[in-house]
Amino acid sequence: MAQNNLSKNLSLLRRVSGLSQEKAAEAVGVTRQALAKWESGETTPDILHSDALAELYGVSLDDLLHFDQRPGNIPPPPRGKHVFGVVQMGDRGQIVIPKRARELFGLNRGDTLVVLGDTNPGTAGIALVPAQLLTGLLDLANQRQQDAENAGEKEDEP
């Protein structure tokens, strides 16, 4: 299964990156034929070439090898970004956050999340952010504003 994911991911990432097989092969120091065999699943790249390919496409080595494109032919996400799967919204708008996402971000039952949204074309989407992160940022911004105001008062003193 990992080899099947690898070949699919190599092919899709190269196309998404706008590279020809020749350019991608040149970038990692192999022949076009070697890259074509990797993309077809006929052979697999060694670890050093796999690492070079992950670097070329800006994805983690783990995602290059294991990311499963189902459903929707979605390429592996850039390094540091995650695709946790697909969820369906219930009748009242509820969703279940996948276990892997909850574990990675330390989310537990009862945690408060802030729902953010962007309606601009091309960037439209919804994000969930732990409330303590936003309150921490607001506290920091308020502290900096108070520090700036206090510094301004000291300059006004004779």
Side-chain angles (χ1 to χ4, degrees):
M1 186 65 158
Q3 182 174 350
N4 190 28
N5 287 343
L6 174 61
S7 61
K8 285 181 182 179
N9 289 336
L10 288 173
S11 179
L12 184 59
L13 285 165
R14 181 184 51 76
R15 290 192 316 264
V16 168
S17 298
L19 296 172
S20 65
Q21 282 185 336
E22 191 169 312
K23 291 287 183 190
E26 183 180 310
V28 295
V30 297
T31 65
R32 185 201 59 77
Q33 292 84 355
L35 187 82
K37 287 181 179 183
W38 297 341
E39 288 185 1
S40 71
E42 191 176 326
T43 62
T44 57
D46 62 26
I47 191 70
L48 294 176
H49 286 112
S50 296
D51 188 52
L53 288 160
E55 192 69 31
L56 174 66
Y57 299 131
V59 299
S60 72
L61 184 56
D62 184 53
D63 279 340
L64 181 67
L65 295 173
H66 302 289
F67 185 80
D68 188 353
Q69 297 174 15
R70 289 176 296 150
N73 224 17
I74 300 168
R79 215 177 253 112
K81 308 289 184 190
H82 303 272
V83 175
F84 294 107
V86 177
V87 298
Q88 290 189 334
M89 190 164 27
D91 293 338
R92 295 180 27 218
Q94 69 274 29
I95 63 167
V96 175
I97 298 172
K99 181 179 180 186
R100 188 168 154 237
R102 294 190 316 265
E103 289 173 347
L104 181 65
F105 292 100
L107 300 174
N108 297 297
R109 181 186 186 129
D111 285 353
T112 302
L113 302 173
V114 177
V115 181
L116 305 173
D118 181 346
T119 57
N120 293 311
T123 60
I126 295 174
L128 301 174
V129 180
Q132 64 269 23
L133 175 67
L134 286 181
T135 55
L137 289 173
L138 290 173
D139 290 345
L140 179 62
N142 285 333
Q143 184 61 50
R144 289 204 173 157
Q145 183 177 2
Q146 286 177 355
D147 291 347
E149 288 172 0
N150 290 341
E153 290 174 8
K154 289 181 181 177
E155 289 177 6
D156 292 340
E157 293 177 5

